[in-house]
Amino acid sequence: MQAVYTPAHLAHDITVETFMGVPIPANEVAERAEKIRMALEADGGFDFLGPSEHGEDPITAVHDPGLVRFLEVAWSELRRQALGRPFLTADTYPNRNMFEGMSPEAVAALVREPQQAAGRAGYWGLDSAAPLVAGTYGAARAAVDVALTTVDLVLGGARAAYGLCRPPGHHSARSMYGGYCFFNNAAIAAEAIVRATGERVAILDVDYHHGNGTQQIFWNRGDVRYVSIHADPDRAYPYFLGRADEVGEGAGRGENLNIPLRGGATNEDYLAAADRALEAILEAPGSVIVVSLGFDTYGLDPIGDFALTTEVYHEVGRRTAATGRRLVVLQEGGYHRPSLGENARAWLRGAEGRDFDPLPSTGFGEHGVVAG
Ligand code: Q9C
Ligand code: ZN
């Protein structure tokens, strides 16, 4: 399988994030992508190529140009303010209740993007979990190019291709970044496929978290079906979206399927959910599935609470490919660094119909246990 990678992600050099107001060691770190790259290289069955530049148009096809401009200048604006912060997070978020009683027209007329970076980060941002540093914009642009190059491979005839996107994308909405995500790589890829082929596209999101950004972007669209398996937002980030009764509106009604799972979800729970998800995808026409691939569903993941093991990734990859559709597989989350490479290798080998034997040297054995 061809795999698209670029070292440009290293410029998004994150060491600290804030969690409920407190600095903690970052989860979404450069080492994640490097672990995956090394495991796929060790496998021998993956051919790596770099991304080609696709420009800004495919980004503004799904994102507000204002978000793009903010992300482009945010770091230099922060430096101009001379606050001396190691990364940018917001001071104030515009909670919807700040405007209670005001008409939508009044809000639209009166509320505008602030001038200070601390306010602008709140205007465009969802949360404090997406620290922005000097190299973030370049890395996020490169991740989009990785996704679009992966699309090119599949539209050029590959049955499946893998884009090692970092930073990830699925929490990023049309006009909002957050949750370690800046541009929505999977949504940009899906939109590019729709425009290139005129076909309908399905997105299968198997990251532990609900992909609120992808859901938002396609909420009222009839041509992109979004199907996600994730932790119930009653207990997990992003808390405010991801419930089973969110089905889309207008032309998009019935095109959004959320499958929330309980804490402790097992391989068996997961495979049942995956079968439901794939069945829903096959109910609509189309020849390509964009996969938002996350490994924060793994039993040892530091921010997830599922109990999945590596074998289930191989099986989900196998079943996804068995739909007969071509696969644009794009990396999202997954934060247990020792297992990331093996889990990616397992999923992608499954998607190629190849068997999977763990390589002890690339992860297993480092922590001595396999959950479940
Ligand atoms: N204690 C992705 O997986 N909350 N984003 C983290 C850590 C934010 C996850 C809390 C989680 C964002 C792409
Ligand atoms: Zn996630």
Side-chain angles (χ1 to χ4, degrees), residues 170-171 207-209 296 303 333-335:
H170 74 154
H171 295 304
D207 186 275
Y208 169 83
H209 302 95
D296 30 14
I303 69 173
Y335 307 101

